Amino acid sequence: MYRTKQDFITDWTKSSAGTLDVLRTVTDETITQSIVPGHNSLGWIGWHVTTALGYFTNLLGFRLSALKSLTQPTTAGVIAAQYERYANEIAEAAESFTESYLLEEVNVHGTMTPRGAVLRMMLDHQTHHRGQMTVLLRQAGLTVPGVMGPTKEQMNA
């Protein structure tokens, strides 16, 4: 749970940069890569991570800019660009977070939850799906970016 805006901003800056690195690695040719047929693809997961930011910020009491469409784009660059826009909007909004704002409870599906905990859920959700995407990147033959430290490819370079 975040109790200070600076703690959130520090984590968000690193986490969103890592997620953007992963999203920028996806290509139009690999956007449909899934672990097995019928499971979520790189494109689906990337779009889910992007649009989920709107879900979480809505719980927090602020809205991100509107999407042109909720339909998953078929171009990898469009997903990465939208994620980057939302990541920047969240970083900008975080500048106004106060301690009382982060401690204030909001309704999360019937459970009163401090906003600072909702922010932690948002980062955890993103990290979970980013991990799934790194497996799919490797399956697709792409180089996995070192988000939480160097990858095998980076260590052998």
Side-chain angles (χ1 to χ4, degrees):
M1 180 173 130
Y2 294 102
R3 290 179 174 80
T4 70
K5 76 175 177 183
Q6 192 53 56
D7 286 346
F8 171 72
I9 290 169
T10 298
D11 283 356
W12 180 248
T13 300
K14 183 172 175 60
S15 182
S16 61
T19 300
L20 189 56
D21 286 346
V22 168
L23 289 170
R24 285 180 174 155
T25 302
V26 178
T27 65
D28 292 347
E29 295 74 33
T30 61
I31 199 168
T32 59
Q33 176 72 42
S34 60
I35 195 159
V36 293
H39 281 252
N40 296 333
S41 67
L42 276 169
W44 187 93
I45 297 169
W47 192 237
H48 171 67
V49 166
T50 300
T51 59
L53 297 176
Y55 164 78
F56 284 106
T57 56
N58 188 50
L59 290 175
L60 294 164
F62 68 94
R63 294 201 183 272
L64 299 174
S65 59
L67 294 169
K68 292 179 184 172
S69 170
L70 288 176
T71 304
Q72 175 195 321
T74 57
T75 306
V78 171
I79 296 171
Q82 183 62 51
Y83 176 85
E84 183 176 25
R85 186 169 113 198
Y86 277 178
N88 289 335
E89 289 178 27
I90 291 168
E92 192 175 303
E95 292 296 335
S96 67
F97 292 173
T98 63
E99 186 176 306
S100 60
Y101 172 86
L102 293 171
L103 295 175
E104 184 179 359
E105 294 186 342
V106 294
N107 187 331
V108 179
H109 305 289
T111 302
M112 297 308 290
T113 307
R115 282 189 172 107
V118 175
L119 288 167
R120 182 75 250 167
M121 284 188 278
M122 182 175 74
L123 264 79
D124 290 346
H125 174 263
Q126 170 171 277
T127 301
H128 162 72
H129 287 301
R130 188 176 64 217
Q132 291 176 319
M133 291 183 75
T134 61
V135 171
L136 296 178
L137 290 176
R138 188 160 276 127
Q139 278 188 325
L142 299 172
T143 301
V144 176
V147 175
M148 304 293 285
T151 63
K152 181 177 182 170
E153 296 87 352
Q154 290 169 327
M155 292 179 68
N156 292 335

